[in-house]
Amino acid sequence: YRIEPINKPFFDEIEQLKTALHQNSGGQRYSGNAAAGRLWKLLISPAEAHLAQIKRLIIIPDDELHYLPFEVLQDDRRRYLIEKYAIQYQYSTALLGNQTGNIRTQSLVSFAPFSTRGYTDSNSTLSRLPASAEEISNLNGLALLDDKATRENFLQFANHNRIIHLATHASVNNENPLRSFISFYPGNTASRLYAREIYDLQLDTTDLIILSACETGTGQLVKGEGLMSITRAFAYAGCPNIITSLWKAEDRATAYISQRLHYYLGKNETKDKALQMAKIDFLKSQDIDPALKSPNYWAHLVLIGDYEPDHKRSNWPWVATGIVIILLTYYFLKRKNLPEHPNRQV
């Protein structure tokens, strides 16, 4: 590993980039390029000499780096990290090493409870997600739309399918993470699936859950544990691989990336490479509005999961040894101590 000195501006850069990524409404211009470039120099440049033959990265972030999608970091030529590497994340090295099967042969169930109408009551408003029907259409599996996409049907089908795709709304409760929830049809309180309930599920036969719902990957940051998110709940329930959203998703962009993701999974690509290729297709597509091609529209979806050997190669031990790079596990001091500790080590 490598140790690099950091100071308060490092955390300021993370906050600037995070703020820029979360702005995907109101016609605001993306303002994260400068911070993404500076963070590349600190987080990626020191390791580049060791990555010459590497195409896939496993990143194990610490503390506030959990909020950062490394895919958006940019080199001196303004190329995104996602253009060079397939990227996945993991909570710790203790969870690495399990191998998963061939996605192409696995069953799938998908849910889009708000494709034709939203839900409003005195306490909440869930908007219609018109692109969610397109997002799960033409998938090789069971697609449940609107009044079929209920909490009860999710619980019935959850541990009987290898892939679950949820194109819906979610809510994160930072003060009480167990009160975070995913919404199913019709959207009222009774149709919510809470994080505390997800922890109690048995999902040991589910290989991949795709949560294209807002903010499923964020949550309360707990020292030594990371983000106590809906994603963590699914992992605890037994699902080894989760594609999740770090901030409020844009409906059309998410639908396009999800469609391409499933296309590449069907071509027997590994999950990390399938997600990388889907995002690159999004960036290159002539059918996508250029205004949607800034990172705040495509970088929200990230993969947290097990290392998966390349399906098209047999030398997986060499690849596994080469791609596992743990970037930046650092000792995080409270902000109030920053003036007394101007330099930290990363």
Side-chain angles (χ1 to χ4, degrees):
Y1 66 93
R2 183 183 178 97
I3 297 176
E4 293 288 332
I6 58 172
N7 50 29
K8 185 178 183 299
F10 171 76
F11 296 96
D12 293 339
E13 300 284 8
I14 293 177
E15 189 60 31
Q16 289 175 27
L17 183 53
K18 177 184 171 184
T19 299
L21 289 169
H22 287 219
Q23 294 174 345
N24 58 8
S25 62
Q28 293 176 295
R29 185 175 180 178
Y30 176 67
S31 59
N33 290 329
R38 289 189 288 266
L39 286 170
W40 175 292
K41 288 181 172 62
L42 183 58
L43 303 182
I44 305 301
S45 292
E48 281 190 280
H50 304 284
L51 301 177
Q53 304 300 319
I54 301 302
K55 299 297 183 183
R56 303 168 63 192
L57 300 180
I58 298 175
I59 296 175
I60 304 176
D62 189 48
D63 288 337
E64 292 191 350
L65 290 174
H66 281 282
Y67 294 113
L68 179 65
F70 282 67
E71 290 92 327
V72 307
L73 302 185
Q74 293 176 281
D75 64 14
D76 292 336
R77 296 171 58 187
R78 288 288 183 91
R79 291 178 303 177
Y80 297 115
L81 191 66
I82 193 66
E83 297 179 75
K84 298 185 68 174
Y85 307 104
I87 299 170
Q88 66 186 90
Y89 302 84
Q90 189 51 274
Y91 294 114
S92 74
T93 55
L95 298 176
L96 293 173
N98 294 329
Q99 299 181 32
T100 51
N102 189 328
I103 291 294
R104 186 168 53 185
T105 63
Q106 295 173 355
S107 57
L108 178 148
V109 61
S110 54
F111 296 78
F114 304 106
S115 67
T116 60
R117 67 176 67 89
Y119 175 82
T120 301
D121 62 21
S122 59
N123 297 315
S124 64
T125 297
L126 302 176
S127 62
R128 180 191 170 211
L129 300 174
S132 62
E134 175 188 350
E135 181 175 334
I136 68 171
S137 65
N138 301 317
L139 300 183
N140 187 23
L142 176 64
L144 300 175
L145 294 164
D146 299 318
D147 60 352
K148 300 294 190 299
T150 62
R151 179 181 182 276
E152 290 73 19
N153 278 340
F154 171 82
L155 294 174
Q156 176 183 346
F157 290 109
N159 209 32
H160 299 284
N161 288 269
R162 298 290 287 171
I163 303 176
I164 302 171
H165 188 122
L166 301 175
T168 182
H169 288 287
S171 176
V172 172
N173 188 322
N174 287 323
E175 295 181 357
N176 185 354
L178 294 180
R179 296 291 296 169
S180 300
F181 63 85
I182 296 172
S183 289
F184 291 90
Y185 181 89
N188 57 19
T189 303
S191 63
R192 297 172 178 175
L193 182 67
Y194 287 93
R196 56 179 169 77
E197 298 174 297
I198 297 172
Y199 274 102
D200 291 331
L201 295 178
Q202 183 177 354
L203 298 175
D204 55 322
T205 65
T206 303
D207 181 62
L208 173 65
I209 292 177
I210 301 168
L211 300 170
S212 62
C214 298
E215 300 177 318
T216 47
T218 190
Q220 185 184 52
L221 188 61
V222 177
K223 181 64 181 176
E225 293 293 334
L227 291 175
M228 305 307 291
S229 62
I230 294 173
T231 304
R232 178 65 70 96
F234 277 115
Y236 187 88
C239 181
N241 303 289
I242 302 103
I243 292 176
T244 187
S245 180
L246 293 177
W247 58 83
K248 291 185 181 297
E250 200 280 330
D251 195 26
R252 294 164 296 169
T254 302
Y256 182 96
I257 294 171
S258 295
Q259 283 277 324
R260 300 306 294 168
L261 167 69
H262 283 285
Y263 170 79
Y264 288 116
L265 290 176
K267 293 293 185 180
N268 202 28
E269 296 290 351
T270 59
K271 302 174 190 68
D272 58 335
K273 293 174 70 175
L275 185 57
Q276 177 197 27
M277 296 164 76
K279 290 179 177 180
I280 291 175
D281 283 355
F282 179 84
L283 291 171
K284 292 182 176 180
S285 174
Q286 300 297 315
D287 298 326
I288 300 297
D289 184 344
L292 297 180
K293 292 189 177 182
S294 61
N296 41 3
Y297 289 97
W298 58 261
H300 60 293
L301 293 174
V302 297
L303 168 64
I304 301 172
D306 285 340
Y307 167 65
E308 183 179 7
D310 194 321
H311 298 159
K312 299 173 184 178
R313 295 186 180 184
S314 60
N315 58 340
W316 74 264
W318 178 87
V319 178
T321 302
I323 69 170
V324 177
I325 176 168
I326 304 172
L327 291 175
L328 302 164
T329 300
Y330 60 88
Y331 181 70
F332 178 64
L333 301 176
K334 294 182 179 179
R335 275 184 166 69
K336 66 180 181 180
N337 291 330
L338 283 170
E340 290 75 35
H341 302 274
N343 291 297
R344 297 181 240 180
Q345 298 293 312
V346 64

